[in-house]
Amino acid sequence: MTSVSFQGERGAYSEAAAKAFFNTEINVVPLPTFAKVLENTIQDKTEYSILPVENSLEGSIGESYDLLYSTSLNAIGEIYHRIEHCLIGSGSLEEIDTVYSHPQALGQCRNFIEKHNMKTVPSYDTAGSVKIIKELNKKNIACIASKDASKIYNMPVISENIANNLNNYTRFLILSKNNKEETGKDKTSIIFSIKHEPGSLHRIIEKFYNYNVNLTKIESRPTKANTWEYNFYVDFEGHAKNPKITEMLVKIKDETLFMKILGSYPSAKLN
């Protein structure tokens, strides 16, 4: 059976996204951190890892991007998974004054939290917050997580669909030691750093234009090594093994200090 490691407790959105991606019965392995998730696959304890990389409301997940820079695993797939947040707890809405959840989930439900004057307590995971409040067993404490998590921990749902915007999706990458063959509907992700001089980024962007390749995302992250220097994370249409893309990547590499191909994989559509 396919084995997949994910961050969080059973009932986490990452688990649901993994099940939706593979669309078959899988063996899921919950782990406490993103780093442990990738490490598990590197050590062949699981075949795949799933990592959330960006949310449609709160933006990119910095820790995931930093791990992508250093991991030896390849991106072989992606999925956009709809996030449907619920307020979960044993008390009534009127009794709740404190809410636990992952910081991203708290941000995504900020309007609801402020409207009901709730204090927030960040936790390591949405599903993990259900586990926490079940153990605390107080009527005035609730959490934000999925309906699946409420079922797993047998905790009541107080309110459904409480996010600021119901059009709430998280993009996940699937990683493994293998590579994905070309399908004709692919996306490639790369990371690069450039010289700190005028025109450096322009010369790279120009290559995409010259080769008529559609750039779908570009984002910068601090390198951590040198102050005010950045790595650029780029997604574009096409497969790295396609001759045109291969040629373009060689020319891009010539303009960089460092370049890494994260992987090529079938481009996902919103559910």
Side-chain angles (χ1 to χ4, degrees), residues 91-208:
S92 67
L93 183 58
E94 292 70 33
E95 291 174 294
I96 307 302
D97 61 24
T98 303
V99 61
Y100 284 67
S101 198
H102 188 277
Q104 282 255 343
L106 294 172
Q108 291 161 23
C109 302
R110 192 175 291 114
N111 295 349
F112 179 89
I113 291 165
E114 289 177 356
K115 179 183 175 183
H116 296 283
N117 299 310
M118 296 172 182
K119 290 182 290 185
T120 59
V121 181
S123 63
Y124 65 99
D125 174 49
T126 53
S129 68
V130 189
K131 194 176 180 183
I132 290 167
I133 66 146
K134 183 164 188 173
E135 288 168 0
L136 290 171
N137 192 27
K138 293 182 178 179
K139 298 280 189 186
N140 67 314
I141 294 174
C143 68
I144 293 169
S146 69
K147 201 180 282 186
D148 284 349
S150 77
K151 290 173 185 171
I152 287 170
Y153 294 102
N154 195 27
M155 289 293 288
V157 171
I158 301 167
S159 294
E160 293 185 30
N161 297 321
I162 63 169
N164 302 348
N165 186 328
L166 298 184
N167 191 28
N168 183 7
Y169 288 85
T170 294
R171 178 186 174 219
F172 293 84
L173 285 181
I174 316 298
L175 299 112
S176 84
K177 287 187 172 180
N178 302 318
N179 287 297
K180 197 76 175 174
E181 293 303 311
E182 193 170 359
T183 67
K185 296 179 179 178
D186 300 298
K187 180 188 283 187
T188 297
S189 297
I190 64 172
I191 306 170
F192 62 80
S193 60
I194 53 177
K195 296 166 189 169
H196 203 51
E197 62 183 34
S200 292
L201 185 57
H202 171 76
R203 288 194 295 273
I204 288 169
I205 300 298
E206 190 177 43
K207 301 288 187 290
F208 289 96

Side-chain angles (χ1 to χ4, degrees), residues 81-98:
H81 183 72
R82 186 162 190 180
I83 307 299
E84 297 178 284
H85 288 313
C86 301
L87 186 71
I88 296 165
S90 54
S92 67
L93 183 58
E94 292 70 33
E95 291 174 294
I96 307 302
D97 61 24
T98 303

Side-chain angles (χ1 to χ4, degrees), residues 6 11-23 26 28 50 79 81-83 146 148 172:
F6 71 93
Y13 291 108
S14 292
E15 179 186 5
K19 288 178 175 177
F21 178 84
F22 288 99
N23 196 27
I26 58 173
V28 289
I50 186 165
I79 183 169
H81 183 72
R82 186 162 190 180
I83 307 299
S146 69
D148 284 349
F172 293 84

Side-chain angles (χ1 to χ4, degrees), residues 58-85:
E58 291 292 299
S60 295
I61 298 164
E63 185 184 351
S64 292
Y65 274 89
D66 293 341
L67 286 166
L68 290 173
Y69 171 82
S70 57
T71 187
S72 59
L73 298 176
N74 305 308
I76 59 92
E78 67 172 355
I79 183 169
Y80 294 92
H81 183 72
R82 186 162 190 180
I83 307 299
E84 297 178 284
H85 288 313

Side-chain angles (χ1 to χ4, degrees), residues 5 25 42 44 101 111 114 150 176 196 218 236 242 245 267-268:
S5 51
E25 194 174 343
I42 290 166
D44 293 320
S101 198
N111 295 349
E114 289 177 356
S150 77
S176 84
H196 203 51
I218 182 165
F236 58 88
N242 180 285
I245 302 293
S267 184

